[in-house]
Amino acid sequence: MIPGPQNAITDIEGLKVGNAQDDALKSGVTVLTADVPFTASVSVLGGAPGTRETDLLAPDKSVAQVDALVLSGGSAYGLDACSGVVAALRDAGRGYRVGSAIIPLVPGAIIFDLLSGGDKSWDASPYPALGRAAFEAATTSTPIGTVGAGTGAMTAMMKGGLGTASLVLDNGITVAALVAANPMGSVTTPGEKHFWAAPYEIDGEFGGLGPDPNSGLGRTLTSRKLTAMLERANTTIAILATDAALDKAQCQRVAIAAHDGIARACVPAHSPGDGDLVFSVSTGAKPASAPTDLGLIGHAAALCLARAIARGVHAASAAPDDLLPTWGTLNAQT
């Protein structure tokens, strides 16, 4: 298994990612879409999720495909970013058709970044406009760090961010992750240098420092983030995608397996105050016929998600009025 050409979710042909953010707000939106609908499901393991339209992604629900997925800052306000995407899709004549009616299907999830700094004293919610702008900016490349839904993200000890990673399997199937990393837990071991995801790093993609050589890790849960804000200011939300032909039930199984990537990269993970959620997407371009394909795709999804979390945090950039330092700032001082 090797990374795709961009080491990004847009290595999967047909997928596009758009980002929009307001630096004064310290928040933003990320949209995954394609020119045609795609199969999707979801798995929620965090104790404090914020979601829209996720019920329709259950395997027993009638609609099999959606038009876009949204990752947004803004907590409950950020769910309105989906409305901006819905409006843009309707204007483009895209959506699920019932007679003459067009219904764009846009599930979404949010992170809590309302206490991450920035001016949140808006008169009207900025998120519908940010959602529309992100959708309209969608391209076949995926920037990482302090961008889109990762703009206001924070981890326990440093700024979080938007991350992505991909793997091309030996059978030619591509698996990739896109994540807004904003967990309650840390993504680095004590000392803020070594990433928990280091064993899964490829070609120095987040610093190349390797695993922490110390033993007994994981027992200290110091958090600058908890000192700066409420304990519920958390969540890691992600999209896992593959070009393998999977149905909704299989997509859900991949989403469940991918949660292991959060647990490998964030300590602790899936806490009562986290809203950890993974969407899973299939474009259906390639057959997944071998009995072992689904398990391999799930394994690769967890690897990609762990790497994507670390990449997003590693790439975060400093901005005025940040509450926490970036990984780069912390390690420039040592």
Side-chain angles (χ1 to χ4, degrees), residues 193-195 198 201-211 307 310-311 313-315 327 331:
K193 182 176 182 180
H194 297 273
F195 285 93
E201 185 176 16
I202 299 174
D203 296 332
E205 62 190 335
F206 42 87
L209 299 176
R307 293 165 51 226
R311 291 190 73 213
V313 175
H314 181 260
W327 184 92
N331 287 282

Side-chain angles (χ1 to χ4, degrees), residues 12-17 32-38 65-68 89 92-95 135 138-140 283:
I12 296 174
E13 186 175 358
L15 293 184
K16 299 178 181 179
V17 173
L32 179 83
T33 190
D35 291 334
V36 295
F38 46 82
Q65 296 184 313
V66 300
D67 300 291
L89 283 161
R94 293 181 52 190
F135 174 79
T139 67
T140 55
T283 64

